[in-house]
Amino acid sequence: AALPLSVLDYLALTGPVTPVPKLEPLLDALQPRIGTRVIDVAMAASRHIKNGFEYATAVTNASSPIADVLSAGKGVCQDFAHLM
């Protein structure tokens, strides 16, 4: 069944989550194969963030774009949620 068009509002990169060149390697590393279950994609992204980034306060702020956490390799939970 087709999804309602309102769902498309949640698929765009907006706010602190914008398409930046530093995001490309992360997207390439996490590119799923056809047929991969969504839960496996989400778990791979979670592991990649946990293993590749350090939790550190005072590196970003509430309005920091994802480019900041990608550059620093550090951030807090909101930064990691934005990466997810």
Side-chain angles (χ1 to χ4, degrees):
L3 296 173
L5 291 179
S6 60
V7 170
L8 297 178
D9 293 341
Y10 298 98
L11 299 178
L13 299 177
T14 61
V17 183
T18 56
V20 293
K22 287 189 178 254
L23 187 57
E24 292 301 320
L26 183 64
L27 295 175
D28 289 342
L30 297 172
Q31 182 67 38
R33 290 191 172 102
I34 293 173
T36 304
R37 298 180 315 163
V38 172
I39 186 65
D40 294 330
V41 174
M43 292 302 296
S46 178
R47 278 190 302 274
H48 189 86
I49 292 168
K50 180 179 186 256
N51 295 331
F53 295 86
E54 178 185 341
Y55 183 89
T57 59
V59 175
T60 60
N61 60 50
S63 62
S64 292
I66 59 168
D68 290 358
V69 71
L70 289 167
S71 292
K74 302 175 186 181
V76 293
C77 51
Q78 78 180 17
D79 301 308
F80 303 147
H82 293 155
L83 284 176
M84 281 293 290

